[in-house]
Structures are given as C-alpha cells and as structure tokens.
Amino acid sequence: LFQLKSSFSRKKTPKRKIYNFKKANWDMINRELCSINWQVLECLDPDSSWKLVKDCIMNLVDIHIPKVTIKSEFQPPWFDSELFSSCRKKDRLRAKFKISGSISDELKFVTSRKDFKRL
C-alpha cells in the first residue's frame, strides 16, 4: 500500500469591474453626444470614423456611468442586488405556498415570480 498526501488551495477569483447602468447619468450622456460636431466624420475613412465614435462613446461612458466591483465568479454581471433580493423573495413565497397550499400564498408567489421575470 501507499499513502498519498496532497493539499489543495482554491484559487482566488479575480474581482471584476463592470458598469452600473442603473445609476448612469443618461441625460448628461445624451447632452454631450448632441453637442459633438459629427461633421468631422464626413472627411474621414470608415475605420477612422468608427474609432473616433467608439472612443467618444467610451469616454462618456467612463465619465457618466459608475463602476461596481463583482467579487464572485459564480454570479453573472447582470445579476445585481435588486435581482438577487427579488429572487430570494420569490423563493421564500414559493416555500411558504408549498407548505400552506393556500390560494392567497399562491397569488403572492405568482405575482412575485412575474415581478422577478420582469427585472
């Protein structure tokens, strides 16, 4: 017989920064986009025009949309705290309905499930 000794350490997940579109200042982005003189694009080739438009938009996004840090690799970027709390509420109401079987609990669960799907 033989013995196998090993130790494993879980690799830490890298933190990711993503845009928090729910807190974006859309009015300022629109205002600044409207104030840009787009006539400049007419005298450029398509590749240069695209780079200029993309750089302009990304600059505005970086200025007017805050970023949040996502810590978990198991959580997709779109699954924010609002969606998470709605999902937990739906799950609690489902469990309550399964135990009680009452029609009022079923209606609360169905409404919560619809609200969760709408987010």
Side-chain angles (χ1 to χ4, degrees):
L1 288 174
F2 64 91
Q3 285 185 329
L4 181 63
K5 291 184 180 181
S6 65
S7 67
F8 297 96
S9 62
R10 186 175 183 158
K11 184 180 175 184
K12 287 188 176 184
T13 59
K15 295 179 181 180
R16 298 178 295 146
K17 285 199 172 258
I18 61 166
Y19 292 107
N20 186 357
F21 291 102
K22 291 183 180 180
K23 293 188 178 181
N25 188 346
W26 296 110
D27 292 333
M28 277 304 291
I29 292 173
N30 286 329
R31 197 172 303 131
E32 289 193 35
L33 282 172
C34 289
S35 71
I36 295 172
N37 181 10
W38 296 109
Q39 300 294 328
V40 175
L41 300 177
E42 292 176 358
C43 60
L44 297 174
D45 64 290
D47 290 332
S48 299
S49 296
W50 166 243
K51 183 175 179 353
L52 186 67
V53 169
K54 185 178 88 170
D55 290 345
C56 179
I57 291 173
M58 290 308 295
N59 185 31
L60 291 175
V61 164
D62 285 336
I63 293 170
H64 297 292
I65 301 178
K67 291 183 179 179
V68 291
T69 303
I70 301 294
K71 299 174 186 159
S72 173
E73 72 177 20
F74 304 110
Q75 186 179 37
W78 47 264
F79 202 85
D80 60 1
S81 60
E82 182 182 0
L83 199 59
F84 182 71
S85 63
S86 179
C87 183
R88 294 225 15 207
K89 179 182 176 186
K90 174 187 68 83
D91 291 342
R92 281 193 304 272
L93 290 172
R94 181 183 178 276
K96 186 176 178 183
F97 164 62
K98 287 292 184 183
I99 291 171
S100 71
S102 76
I103 294 174
S104 67
D105 286 340
E106 181 182 15
L107 288 174
K108 288 178 186 175
F109 164 64
V110 168
T111 304
S112 178
R113 182 174 57 193
K114 285 179 184 176
D115 292 342
F116 174 68
K117 287 182 179 182
R118 252 186 251 125
L119 290 177

